[in-house]
Amino acid sequence: MQSTGASPPSLPAGLVLVDTYHVTPDDEDRPWLPAMPARPALEPGERFDAVVDDTSLAALGAYSRPARGWTPEPMPIPTLLIRATRSPSPGRGRRQTSWPAPCTTADVLGDHRSVIEEEARTTAGAISAWLTGPGHA
């Protein structure tokens, strides 16, 4: 094989998972998990037909299918799992995410959606602290 002179691709500084849930076959029957992506679509109330179209509704229904049957493996880079402190389904007990592969966790204010909306500043601060902390250049 002839060398092209190109340098090998560099690895990223890390991987950040923001309130990511690893959906296993055991979880698919739990009503709170598949309902998480549908919750924003239900919030418009009477305006539902004006803000939700067939494409977005189909996407919400297929939210967890691409990763079905996939098991995360340890990464060659540091991984951070941001975990929301409020349950994605209020009134149904605390259901905080976990990740099956090795990672560092950081708990931030909010629920599954608000960690990237109303609490985005806090979430960004946790990510920044992790990236500039020990173990990162």
Side-chain angles (χ1 to χ4, degrees), residues 30-135:
R30 297 176 194 216
W32 64 270
L33 191 57
M36 283 174 40
R39 198 176 102 216
L42 299 175
E43 289 176 356
E46 293 178 9
R47 298 181 317 116
F48 179 86
D49 289 333
V51 297
V52 178
D53 61 15
D54 292 344
T55 303
S56 62
L57 200 56
L60 289 171
Y63 184 73
S64 65
R65 266 190 231 142
R68 184 179 285 156
W70 171 70
T71 301
E73 296 179 9
M75 300 289 289
I77 57 174
T79 302
L80 172 65
L81 173 62
I82 296 288
R83 300 186 313 177
T85 56
R86 284 196 309 265
S87 175
S89 297
R92 293 193 178 151
R94 184 178 171 104
R95 289 182 172 88
Q96 195 170 36
T97 187
S98 62
W99 197 246
C103 63
T104 300
T105 59
D107 292 346
V108 297
L109 297 174
D111 61 25
H112 183 67
R113 197 184 77 190
S114 69
V115 296
I116 59 170
E117 292 180 356
E118 297 89 356
E119 303 296 345
R121 186 177 304 259
T122 302
T123 302
I127 295 169
S128 179
W130 177 72
L131 286 170
T132 57

Side-chain angles (χ1 to χ4, degrees), residues 15-32:
L15 171 67
V16 177
L17 305 167
V18 179
D19 207 50
T20 302
Y21 284 77
H22 176 238
V23 180
T24 65
D26 293 338
D27 293 326
E28 289 177 341
D29 290 337
R30 297 176 194 216
W32 64 270

